[in-house]
């Protein structure tokens, strides 16, 4: 308990000292090994953390929190298949664990098992029907497999839930450019520009939308602004107007 209190105060060294004392006091105390492994994990030492998580599981294989920590260590080490196995074990015990569903879905994406990832993300949308991110994640998977029409459906849902969802607005703007719907693309990138007036990339795509719509003067002004804010790609576009 003292170890966790020290962690809350961001005193990792003190937290590790207390966790070591707990292990020394009782070498069969699984939670103490889990705690020390978690502390090591916060330092980015995922291989070392796994040793402590495995030790904890040999002492008590029923503790789901240890499995969660172990799965995250595997994920950070890009061992997505191992992480997937751990998250699947957790979800067999606790089917509606939000974090585990989310992380398993991202494991599946990394393993290019997109259909299964969609199943997990759609389950999240059912569990979190008011979350814009849950719909955005579904759209994002559809974008990975270049199913832009399906992605657009869920981007619209994400934006309906959260009008200022930056990623959803940006992706929808890109899709609208591909579909030659320049008016809607301008609306999306204008919304983003309102939210992030200093974002040079957003300004660049707003300029591109106006250019493709056939309004070169407005496009040139926005390209100039984008370049002034540091987006070098705008320089090549401005050469056309000069």
């Amino acid at each position: 308990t003292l170890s966790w209190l020290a962690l809350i105060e961001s005193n990792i060294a003190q937290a590790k000292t207390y966790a070591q004392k707990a292990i020394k006091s009782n070498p069969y105390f699984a939670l103490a090994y889990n705690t020390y492994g978690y502390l090591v994990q916060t330092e980015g030492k995922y291989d070392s953390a796994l040793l402590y998580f495995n030790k904890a599981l040999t002492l008590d294989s029923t503790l789901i929190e240890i499995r969660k920590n172990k799965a995250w260590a595997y994920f950070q080490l890009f061992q997505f298949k191992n992480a997937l196995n751990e998250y699947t074990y957790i979800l067999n015990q606790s089917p509606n664990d939000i974090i585990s569903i989310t992380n398993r879905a991202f494991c599946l994406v990394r393993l290019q098992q997109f259909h299964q990832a969609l199943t997990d993300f759609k389950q999240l949308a059912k569990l979190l029907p008011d979350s814009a991110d849950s719909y955005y994640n579904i759209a994002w998977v559809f974008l990975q497999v270049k199913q832009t029409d399906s992605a657009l459906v869920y981007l619209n849902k994400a934006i309906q839930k959260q009008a200022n969802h930056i990623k959803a607005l940006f992706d929808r703007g890109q899709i609208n450019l591909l579909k030659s719907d320049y008016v809607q693309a301008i609306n999306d990138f204008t919304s983003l520009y309102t939210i992030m007036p200093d974002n040079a990339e957003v300004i660049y795509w707003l300029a591109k939308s106006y250019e493709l719509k056939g309004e070169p003067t407005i496009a040139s002004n926005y390209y100039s602004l984008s370049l002034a804010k540091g987006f070098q790609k705008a320089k090549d576009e401005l050469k056309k107007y000069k």
Side-chain angles (χ1 to χ4, degrees):
T1 302
L2 285 170
S3 179
W4 279 104
L5 288 170
L7 174 62
I8 290 169
E9 294 179 340
S10 300
N11 190 340
I12 303 298
Q14 186 66 64
K16 288 173 72 175
T17 297
Y18 281 127
Q20 287 173 328
K21 286 183 177 181
I23 291 170
K24 186 176 180 181
S25 176
N26 181 1
Y28 302 101
F29 187 20
L31 283 176
Y33 289 96
N34 179 57
T35 299
Y36 193 83
Y38 181 85
L39 293 166
V40 171
Q41 188 162 263
T42 63
E43 299 174 320
K45 300 174 183 176
Y46 299 105
D47 283 315
S48 298
L50 280 170
L51 297 175
Y52 288 95
F53 297 144
N54 286 330
K55 175 64 175 178
L57 286 171
T58 63
L59 296 171
D60 190 344
S61 61
T62 66
L63 293 172
I64 294 297
E65 288 303 317
I66 303 173
R67 296 276 183 180
K68 290 182 182 180
N69 290 333
K70 186 179 178 182
W72 184 244
Y74 279 136
F75 191 93
Q76 293 299 311
L77 290 168
F78 301 98
Q79 296 181 26
F80 300 115
K81 196 166 185 179
N82 288 334
L84 176 63
N85 291 337
E86 292 297 333
Y87 284 124
T88 298
Y89 177 92
I90 294 164
L91 291 169
N92 285 337
Q93 311 301 315
S94 182
N96 294 330
D97 187 289
I98 300 295
I99 293 175
S100 295
I101 297 171
T102 304
N103 291 347
R104 184 173 72 172
F106 281 111
C107 286
L108 289 164
V109 170
R110 294 297 190 98
L111 294 168
Q112 298 190 327
Q113 297 179 30
F114 298 110
H115 180 74
Q116 294 93 323
L118 278 172
T119 299
D120 276 352
F121 280 133
K122 286 180 178 180
Q123 183 185 355
L124 275 177
K126 290 179 180 178
L127 294 170
L128 302 170
D130 294 323
S131 168
D133 284 341
S134 65
Y135 296 107
Y136 175 77
N137 286 334
I138 297 171
W140 180 76
V141 176
F142 277 123
L143 286 174
Q144 305 312 301
V145 294
K146 304 188 186 306
Q147 294 184 25
T148 53
D149 288 339
S150 296
L152 191 57
V153 170
Y154 286 96
L155 289 172
N156 288 336
K157 289 184 178 182
I159 294 166
Q160 286 170 6
K161 294 295 181 182
Q162 183 182 330
N164 64 346
H165 195 290
I166 291 171
K167 291 180 180 179
L169 285 167
F170 187 87
D171 288 345
R172 190 173 73 173
Q174 293 288 337
I175 291 174
N176 284 320
L177 282 179
L178 288 173
K179 295 170 73 69
S180 301
D181 189 347
Y182 304 126
V183 173
Q184 185 57 54
I186 288 170
N187 289 339
D188 287 333
F189 290 118
T190 299
S191 295
L192 283 169
Y193 180 45
T194 302
I195 299 167
M196 302 184 295
D198 294 320
N199 189 298
E201 185 178 3
V202 167
I203 298 168
Y204 171 88
W205 287 109
L206 182 57
K208 176 63 70 176
S209 301
Y210 274 110
E211 177 189 346
L212 295 172
K213 186 174 180 288
E215 299 189 40
T217 302
I218 299 176
S220 178
N221 290 337
Y222 278 121
Y223 279 134
S224 296
L225 181 59
S226 177
L227 181 60
K229 291 184 179 295
F231 199 68
Q232 293 303 310
K233 192 175 178 180
K235 184 185 293 185
D236 294 331
E237 302 294 339
L238 278 171
K239 288 178 181 178
K240 295 185 295 188
Y241 294 98
K242 292 183 178 179

